[in-house]
Amino acid sequence: MRTFSIALAALCLATSASAQDATDLELWRLDCGFIELSDAAPFSDVHLYDGEPRSLTNSCYLVRNGDQYLLWDAGFSAELKGAAVTQSVFTVGVTATISEQLATLGLTAQDINLVAVSHYHSDHVGQLPEFANSTLIIGRADWEIVSQIGDDGAFLDRTPFQPWLGETSNDVIAFAGDYDVFGDGSTLIKAMPGHTPGHGALLVRLADSNDVLLTGDLYHFEEQIENRGVPQFNTDRAATLASFERFNATADALGAKIIIQHDPRHIARLPQFPESAK
């Protein structure tokens, strides 16, 4: 395995530039599963949502920059297709796999050059093995947890990461701070720690429409923006609150369209698949 570890200082120059040429940039929303909550209590450590049932989606995204393709997040495992599995307050499943949706666009997993994950939780990495030939991009602090031997911790399953673990595995870009995915300022992973130590959000600077900010799991539903709800399972409360501030300030400064990846009300903020935003 070759791991490229990128320091924050080296990224400042790249991320300070605006997108040089986003005229050949496209963004698709992919369906990567569903989540039914019998009780949303775990999503606030101050009891904001106790007893509330909620329906969440699980969205992934495909970005095309010229002839390069980035998959952002990899959803639940394809083994959940057609199933509904319940654990604690969570009932989850998958309706269509990522590969099936890529086929609608005339693509296969082999066409995906880069696969980036907002964080290591199992609902964002389940179909990673389908993209074993792609370069993995992940926050350095998350990668250090994934690649160490020890307790898996909350919502961490190392199995999907196996293609990138070990001496003969594929390339990993483990970055600190922000990361310019294509090197042209068009698609930036913004450091938003707190949900996990290396958590990130994705800024896509489309040419013909507003900039788009994909939340990862910084927020799970709109109410968390309004009342600053911090999930019980986040790794750092103070870092989460700081990331809320950074994310919101970025969205305000750019006039960006915020898309909460788990909020089904936000699906309509992008064109319906297989249409894309440009």
Side-chain angles (χ1 to χ4, degrees):
M1 173 184 62
R2 291 187 296 163
T3 301
F4 303 92
S5 190
I6 301 176
L8 174 60
L11 288 167
C12 290
L13 292 176
T15 56
S16 63
S18 60
Q20 298 172 9
D21 183 7
T23 57
D24 198 21
L25 200 69
E26 287 187 87
L27 173 65
W28 292 265
R29 184 256 174 189
L30 305 177
D31 182 354
C32 290
F34 62 86
I35 304 169
E36 295 293 334
L37 296 173
S38 59
D39 183 353
F43 289 83
S44 168
D45 60 5
V46 295
H47 305 280
L48 293 173
Y49 319 120
D50 285 8
E52 295 182 11
R54 284 186 180 268
S55 295
L56 303 181
T57 189
N58 195 24
S59 298
C60 305
Y61 299 86
L62 179 68
V63 180
R64 182 185 66 80
N65 187 330
D67 60 358
Q68 297 285 302
Y69 285 93
L70 163 73
L71 176 66
W72 173 254
D73 283 337
F76 287 118
S77 168
E79 294 179 359
L80 290 176
K81 183 183 175 182
V85 176
T86 299
Q87 183 175 6
S88 182
V89 300
F90 299 86
T91 298
V92 304
V94 169
T95 302
T97 68
I98 296 174
S99 291
E100 288 170 343
Q101 293 170 82
L102 291 178
T104 301
L105 301 175
L107 301 172
T108 70
Q110 302 301 315
D111 295 308
I112 307 305
N113 311 93
L114 307 166
V115 56
V117 293
S118 57
H119 62 296
Y120 57 65
H121 284 169
S122 55
D123 56 325
H124 291 257
V125 304
Q127 295 176 59
L128 277 180
E130 298 292 322
F131 304 93
N133 293 322
S134 304
T135 296
L136 175 66
I137 305 175
I138 185 171
R140 182 195 295 171
D142 273 16
W143 182 244
E144 289 174 352
I145 293 171
V146 170
S147 58
Q148 71 183 8
I149 298 174
D151 181 21
D152 284 352
F155 304 108
L156 169 60
D157 177 4
R158 290 188 176 87
T159 304
F161 291 99
Q162 289 306 312
W164 296 273
L165 294 170
E167 292 302 320
T168 61
S169 302
N170 288 343
D171 292 344
V172 176
I173 297 174
F175 65 93
D178 295 346
Y179 182 67
D180 186 342
V181 175
F182 298 108
D184 62 1
S186 69
T187 308
L188 305 172
I189 302 175
K190 309 293 285 185
M192 300 287 169
H195 186 64
T196 62
H199 180 274
L202 189 69
L203 172 62
V204 184
R205 313 206 66 183
L206 299 168
D208 297 336
S209 56
N210 288 6
D211 293 338
V212 172
L213 263 171
L214 304 174
T215 58
D217 273 10
L218 180 63
Y219 299 115
H220 296 82
F221 38 84
E222 283 185 2
E223 289 77 4
Q224 289 177 308
I225 298 178
E226 299 162 5
N227 55 33
R228 296 164 65 84
V230 177
Q232 298 171 14
F233 45 85
N234 278 23
T235 59
D236 190 318
R237 191 177 209 280
T240 300
L241 293 172
S243 291
F244 286 171
E245 296 297 329
R246 185 181 193 225
F247 184 94
N248 297 344
T250 301
D252 289 344
L254 297 177
K257 180 185 297 182
I258 294 173
I259 297 179
I260 300 175
Q261 294 182 210
H262 281 302
D263 195 326
R265 295 168 291 187
H266 285 209
I267 291 174
R269 294 190 176 189
L270 288 177
Q272 184 175 352
F273 185 83
E275 298 301 314
S276 66
K278 299 181 180 179

